[in-house]
Amino acid sequence: MQDALPTRGGGLDTEAVAALREQYGWNEIPRQKALSPFVVLARQFRGFLILILGLAAAIAFLLDERIDALAILVVLVLNAVLGFVQEWRAETALEALRAMLTPVAVVVRDGVERKIAAREIVPGDLVIVSAGEAIPADMRLQAGTELRTDESALTGESLPVPKTVGGEGAASRLFAGTTLVAGRATGIVTETGLQTDFGKVAALTGAVGEKQTELQKRLGQLAKEIGLASLVVAALVVAVGWYGGRPIFEMVMTGLSLTVAMVPEGLPAVVTITLALGASAMARRQALTRRLQAVETLGAASVICTDKTGTLTENAMRVTRLWTPDSAYDVTGEGYSTDGFIERDGIRVDAESDPILGALLRTALTCTNASLRRDGETWAMIGDPTEGALVAVARKGRACEVAPADRIAEVAFSSERKRMSVLAREGDGYRLHVKGAPEVVLDRSTAYLGQDGIESLDPSARQRIADAYARMAAQGLRVLALAARPADEGDVREHDLVFLGLAGMIDPPRPEVKSAIALARSAGIRVMMITGDGRLTAAAIAEQVGLGRPEVVEGGDLDALSDEQLSDLLRNDVLFARTRPEHKLRIVETLQAQGLIVAMTGDGVNDAPALKTADIGIAMGVRGTEVSRSAADLILLDDNFSTIVNAIAEGRRQFDNVRKFVRYLLCSNAGEVMAILANLFLGGPVIFLATQILWMNLITDGATAVALGLEKAEPEQMRSPPRRRGEPILGRTGMALVLCFGVYTSAASLWIFYSLLPLGTDLARTAAFTGMLVFEKVSVFAFRSLQKPVTSIGWLSNPVLIAAFTASLLLQVAAVYWPPLQTLLKTVPLSIDEWLTIGAFALPLVVVPEVVKGFTARRLDGAPA
Ligand code: ATP
């Protein structure tokens, strides 16, 4: 049973909604660009490599080498199928992420405010939209003052458009696809879904994954450069060979094989897949990525600027203390429940028995947009938690209610104003109720309500109020001041107020935040609190969550600082209180100028510029505005700070894994290229056929590389500092590795080839080909961890890799013994002796890296911290 407290206006009832839904359908615009498997499949057949392969097939066909032509085509198709499976997985993962961004809306139905999915809205619904939220359907305005919308998405108009109740034409209408940037509007829905103006002209597009990330671009570029270089090398080889009297077909094929061997064709695809799967892994940990770039940048984050309310704290507010110039009160009760009491010196009091308290509570109850509703055993709150807490305490004290119709006007809350006012009709006159940050309200007050009625607010009275505020804030309470004054019709000037008192509410730190901050710090990431709340409250909460006692700088002080001064300040441990959104932008820019990679949280409309500028803009899934969400790269589904740290850990894992498979793929390619080139100088027959190289690179390498992308996090990952901006993926160590592996595997396969050559070219070639493939496969274990030996991370800890490894080896067995593949790849069966030789050469590839890593890992562990 729902015990509804009265709200403004009745709205539709359930039956009417059902009937209207039947008639008008859902409020949604079908995605026009639904993902088609054919498109994804077609994508597999474009690109540089495909062109080369197509060319190779054509040449083979023209020279009447039908089997070669067929083999290349088979490899092409198989490669496309594998690519398709992987890309489809990545795409569906991204699609699932897009679907998690379902918009919600607040409607009044059956007389109660409810939060519902925006698609459930029907024409006739009474909808309430707050600043920063998207307008869910076309509506006619019913109530709201000082309203402005951003209609740029619909009309291209970049300036905010004012809206007024009863205005002419579009001035009194709100449109789907636009956002409310100021005020709080109530409207009746006139059109939904495809009937809205937006539905008629525009199609919704998901933002995820449409832009290439830096890493994708860099690796795409790398692949292209290597590709071009390989063409030049191949052309030279063909020319030299031909000049030396070798058959032209053989040389062309060798040239093409060389190209195929050199181009790290798997790279861009594997990066995309790894990032996309990384994005789903993050979403499982409550961090939704809006751009793949975020997955990559997150791993490099060096400072997190976070707000306090709701991110470090639970945002479940409860008023525990009240203070008026006359008395101090304690409040009992739990959550948003109205079952509790207000006590003065241990004696229960209420609005009736204590008129000063009564005035305070009436303002608390009137100056709000929150509503409470009993939902079974618990109480549900719709609206801002700060306001919900005030409504709850007002009801505990049985404050006198203002009828919804008597609420005449509202000047909305914003982080800049730090206050909110409501004009209400009272008896024959009007009264303006104001609440907000204590210093802001006190600045606008000239009197206070005391035992003897309204008294002048002299300096000593101001001091008493300031002291009471400081006492409450020092305990970590969030403190709001309340004030009111008699007013005329339409008079909402927030001046000459009568100060009524203070409400102190607890907002406990989230329990997991302390360890998350400690983890971030051990990973060399700075954590900086930037809050709109007051100095003392912020400092108290900072201490509670383990941020220590940083220097507190207020927004006002920040304005007075020059850029250099701010930059110096930011090198120390600081926290910012009473900030306005524009301060965040300045802080981000200054930190970035110091070369730091900044993650910044934000929830309000005006946080959007800071979120866009930050390297990783982070918005809140629960309490954030639509505007902030669309400016962000990452959305926290649970608004929780520790989710940011988890996402950073995930980002670091992804980057490490990209590094692992880049090294692995290049090592594999290097071996093949070195073997082909060396063989050319040795003057023997071709060591690998074009089709065999294709087989090695396209069929079996991709799977193992993708599996490397799934490696678990390195244990040291969150104990080392963030990587530098633009740090190379391969680096010097990587290059050295590529060289070592390349020299060894090429030398080993050449040895096998030449030692078996007297027994027949086909046998020697099959053994060299199989040898190279086995070397590549077993060396994957060396790349599973950048530092740790496999013995310490567990041989079987990456099941996908084991599966890919086994499947590749089985495929190779088939390539050697299964007649159709024998024909295609021109192989002959190998005897046990040849397999043993291959095994013997493969062994060092597993053992040596283990020994080296075992040695260095011990040295690292033993090193002083
Ligand atoms: P954070 O920036 O960490 O989220 P915050 O919620 O305190 O903290 P703002 O939302 O910018 O930051 O609010 C600034 C101040 O405005 C608050 O500290 C409080 O004093 C006051 N305030 C907050 N909500 C309301 C409200 N609904 N009505 C009036 N004043 C409010």
Side-chain angles (χ1 to χ4, degrees):
M1 229 266 320
Q2 287 186 339
D3 179 2
L5 296 169
T7 40
R8 287 136 230 135
L12 296 174
D13 59 31
T14 316
E15 273 167 39
V17 169
L20 287 160
R21 166 88 35 73
E22 185 77 7
Q23 189 177 351
Y24 295 102
W26 296 100
N27 176 35
E28 62 190 359
I29 298 164
R31 266 177 68 90
Q32 293 199 338
K33 252 180 25 189
L35 189 65
S36 148
F38 297 109
V39 173
V40 178
L41 189 64
R43 260 193 244 156
Q44 310 304 320
F45 287 99
R46 55 175 202 214
F48 178 61
L49 193 84
I50 299 295
L51 204 76
I52 296 181
L53 290 179
L55 197 71
I59 294 175
F61 189 76
L62 284 179
L63 295 179
D64 227 19
E65 300 281 348
R66 298 258 160 100
I67 294 206
D68 272 345
L70 182 68
I72 295 172
L73 289 180
V74 168
V75 169
L76 256 177
V77 169
L78 270 179
N79 176 54
V81 169
L82 281 178
F84 169 78
V85 171
Q86 292 171 347
E87 205 177 310
W88 181 253
R89 240 182 104 193
E91 279 290 347
T92 41
L94 290 177
E95 190 71 15
L97 296 189
R98 284 181 198 121
M100 287 170 87
L101 290 167
T102 28
V104 289
V106 176
V107 295
V108 179
R109 283 190 185 162
D110 298 315
V112 196
E113 275 180 34
R114 295 166 200 278
K115 212 175 207 176
I116 59 167
R119 74 188 287 267
E120 292 176 19
I121 288 177
V122 291
D125 255 328
L126 186 62
V127 177
I128 302 173
V129 191
S130 304
E133 294 305 332
I135 315 271
D138 285 2
M139 327 199 278
R140 179 162 302 287
L141 264 178
Q142 295 289 300
T145 47
E146 311 257 333
L147 303 174
R148 283 195 304 279
T149 58
D150 173 0
E151 299 191 344
S152 53
L154 193 61
T155 59
E157 169 61 61
S158 59
L159 291 176
V161 184
K163 300 279 169 175
T164 42
V165 181
E168 291 266 313
S172 66
R173 286 171 49 75
L174 301 179
F175 299 101
T178 68
T179 40
L180 188 68
V181 290
R184 191 178 134 92
T186 308
I188 298 274
V189 172
T190 49
E191 282 92 20
T192 56
L194 284 170
Q195 301 309 312
T196 62
D197 283 8
F198 186 67
K200 284 178 200 148
V201 299
L204 285 173
T205 50
V208 191
E210 271 158 21
K211 249 171 57 185
Q212 281 215 320
T213 76
E214 273 310 303
L215 205 58
Q216 284 172 311
K217 275 190 234 154
R218 258 158 66 190
L219 288 176
Q221 187 64 26
L222 181 74
K224 234 181 244 156
E225 281 165 14
I226 299 181
L228 282 179
S230 70
L231 274 186
V232 175
V233 174
L236 275 177
V237 167
V238 175
V240 171
W242 189 40
Y243 187 73
R246 295 205 178 196
I248 180 72
F249 174 67
E250 191 185 301
M251 285 328 293
V252 169
M253 278 305 168
T254 306
L256 287 171
S257 330
L258 203 59
T259 315
V260 174
M262 271 179 83
V263 182
E265 54 282 328
L267 268 191
V270 180
V271 176
T272 312
I273 293 158
T274 304
L275 292 181
L277 295 182
S280 343
M282 282 189 186
R284 279 196 298 277
R285 301 176 83 173
Q286 304 292 314
L288 195 61
T289 7
R290 292 192 60 249
R291 284 179 257 285
L292 279 186
Q293 177 68 45
V295 181
E296 191 179 310
T297 321
L298 261 171
S302 43
V303 46
I304 311 173
C305 300
T306 172
D307 52 5
K308 169 183 72 75
T309 313
T311 315
L312 297 175
T313 66
E314 292 192 339
N315 209 18
M317 312 262 183
R318 179 161 60 83
V319 175
T320 56
R321 309 268 298 156
L322 290 170
W323 185 90
T324 63
D326 181 49
S327 307
Y329 308 82
D330 291 311
V331 185
T332 64
E334 288 303 321
Y336 293 109
S337 159
T338 60
D339 310 327
F341 305 104
I342 304 177
E343 293 171 347
R344 187 179 60 204
D345 301 326
I347 298 166
R348 234 177 254 177
V349 287
D350 61 19
E352 209 169 304
S353 64
D354 184 338
I356 302 181
L357 176 70
L360 176 79
L361 296 181
R362 183 156 46 134
T363 295
L365 190 57
T366 315
C367 187
T368 184
N369 287 309
S371 65
L372 299 179
R373 175 158 55 90
R374 192 194 279 283
D375 210 345
E377 285 299 292
T378 55
W379 284 77
M381 193 275 304
I382 292 195
D384 175 358
T386 304
E387 298 192 347
L390 289 171
V391 173
V393 73
R395 293 202 182 280
K396 286 175 188 169
R398 278 179 271 213
C400 108
E401 193 95 45
V402 173
D406 287 337
R407 225 170 158 272
I408 306 296
E410 171 186 326
V411 191
F413 167 77
S414 77
S415 289
E416 284 88 351
R417 291 176 14 90
K418 297 193 172 17
R419 61 185 187 275
M420 159 187 177
S421 305
V422 164
L423 183 69
R425 193 176 294 127
E426 236 177 65
D428 296 336
Y430 295 88
R431 198 170 171 80
L432 183 71
H433 299 269
V434 183
K435 73 175 192 310
E439 44 287 40
V440 176
V441 172
L442 210 52
D443 262 2
R444 288 166 171 74
S445 302
T446 48
Y448 70 94
L449 185 63
Q451 198 98 77
D452 304 320
I454 293 177
E455 296 173 42
S456 148
L457 200 57
D458 56 22
S460 82
R462 277 183 194 277
Q463 191 56 48
R464 255 186 343 115
I465 296 171
D467 291 346
Y469 168 35
R471 274 197 305 276
M472 285 162 120
Q475 297 163 18
L477 293 182
R478 178 176 172 83
V479 187
L480 253 74
L482 297 119
R485 74 167 165 82
D488 297 326
E489 189 178 356
D491 171 14
V492 288
R493 285 171 306 127
E494 294 153 322
H495 288 304
D496 299 324
L497 303 173
V498 178
F499 178 86
L500 298 172
L502 302 169
M505 48 194 94
I506 53 162
D507 178 17
R510 292 174 181 270
E512 59 280 29
V513 159
K514 202 168 182 170
S515 54
I517 288 181
L519 185 63
R521 288 188 157 179
S522 77
I525 302 163
R526 286 175 62 191
V527 179
M528 196 184 284
M529 185 200 283
I530 305 180
T531 176
D533 213 336
R535 160 192 287 273
L536 290 171
T537 314
I541 297 288
E543 197 163 356
Q544 287 173 26
V545 296
L547 279 174
R549 291 163 179 265
E551 182 185 347
V552 183
V553 181
E554 285 197 5
D557 306 338
L558 208 153
D559 290 331
L561 296 181
S562 70
D563 289 349
E564 291 77 45
Q565 283 170 322
L566 177 61
S567 182
D568 287 342
L569 185 72
L570 283 171
R571 290 180 206 279
N572 308 326
D573 203 10
V574 278
L575 95 71
F576 294 91
R578 284 287 180 246
T579 49
R580 296 189 306 274
E582 67 263 28
H583 293 136
K584 288 192 177 174
L585 182 62
R586 207 176 151 208
I587 294 170
V588 170
E589 287 173 343
T590 313
L591 287 170
Q592 284 177 329
Q594 293 178 1
L596 296 171
I597 297 186
V598 188
M600 165 72 85
T601 68
D603 51 13
V605 188
N606 301 324
D607 288 333
L611 293 181
K612 277 204 181 118
T613 308
D615 299 279
I616 308 135
I618 305 172
M620 304 298 150
V622 182
R623 70 170 203 280
T625 56
E626 193 56 39
V627 173
S628 64
R629 282 194 284 267
S630 43
D633 305 295
L634 192 76
I635 297 171
L636 305 181
L637 295 176
D638 58 359
D639 291 11
N640 193 336
F641 176 82
S642 49
T643 302
I644 306 177
V645 181
N646 289 340
I648 290 182
E650 191 57 46
R652 285 191 174 192
R653 179 176 82 101
Q654 299 309 332
F655 191 81
D656 276 355
N657 288 352
V658 167
R659 194 177 263 174
K660 290 172 195 170
F661 65 64
V662 168
R663 287 179 179 185
Y664 169 66
L665 276 178
L666 292 185
C667 281
S668 302
N669 287 6
E672 295 163 26
V673 174
M674 287 182 192
I676 295 171
L677 286 179
N679 183 50
L680 212 68
F681 286 108
L682 291 174
V686 171
I687 177 165
F688 309 126
L689 297 176
T691 43
Q692 294 173 346
I693 293 178
L694 287 178
W695 175 263
M696 287 194 269
N697 286 16
L698 298 185
I699 308 294
T700 65
D701 262 9
T704 11
V706 171
L708 268 185
L710 298 173
E711 273 304 323
K712 298 212 173 60
E714 301 269 336
E716 275 78 32
Q717 181 190 272
M718 289 303 269
R719 269 181 267 149
S720 28
R723 67 170 199 268
R724 280 168 295 119
R725 203 184 271 274
E727 189 171 307
I729 300 161
L730 199 54
R732 237 177 274 159
T733 330
M735 301 236 202
L737 276 178
V738 170
L739 212 66
C740 290
F741 272 84
V743 168
Y744 179 79
T745 53
S746 57
S749 43
L750 280 168
W751 194 91
I752 294 175
F753 184 60
Y754 280 99
S755 61
L756 290 175
L757 209 50
L759 301 180
T761 315
D762 281 347
L763 177 70
R765 195 177 277 145
T766 308
F769 160 50
T770 307
M772 184 53 98
L773 190 127
V774 172
F775 301 154
E776 286 175 6
K777 292 304 125 186
V778 298
S779 57
V780 76
F781 289 100
F783 293 90
R784 287 192 49 204
S785 162
L786 298 169
Q787 289 118 13
K788 289 268 166 183
V790 183
T791 37
S792 80
I793 58 172
W795 285 96
L796 302 178
S797 58
N798 184 346
V800 179
L801 186 114
I802 298 294
F805 175 77
T806 321
S808 310
L809 288 190
L810 288 178
L811 269 173
Q812 185 62 19
V813 171
V816 174
Y817 297 106
W818 190 44
L821 280 180
Q822 282 179 339
T823 317
L824 275 185
L825 296 166
K826 300 211 176 77
T827 53
V828 292
L830 292 180
S831 72
I832 189 80
D833 278 353
E834 281 114 32
W835 281 107
L836 285 177
T837 314
I838 292 171
F841 274 112
L843 205 59
L845 285 167
V846 185
V847 177
V848 174
E850 288 302 293
V851 174
V852 173
K853 277 194 203 162
F855 182 67
T856 45
R858 238 197 317 272
R859 218 184 43 201
L860 283 181
D861 285 347

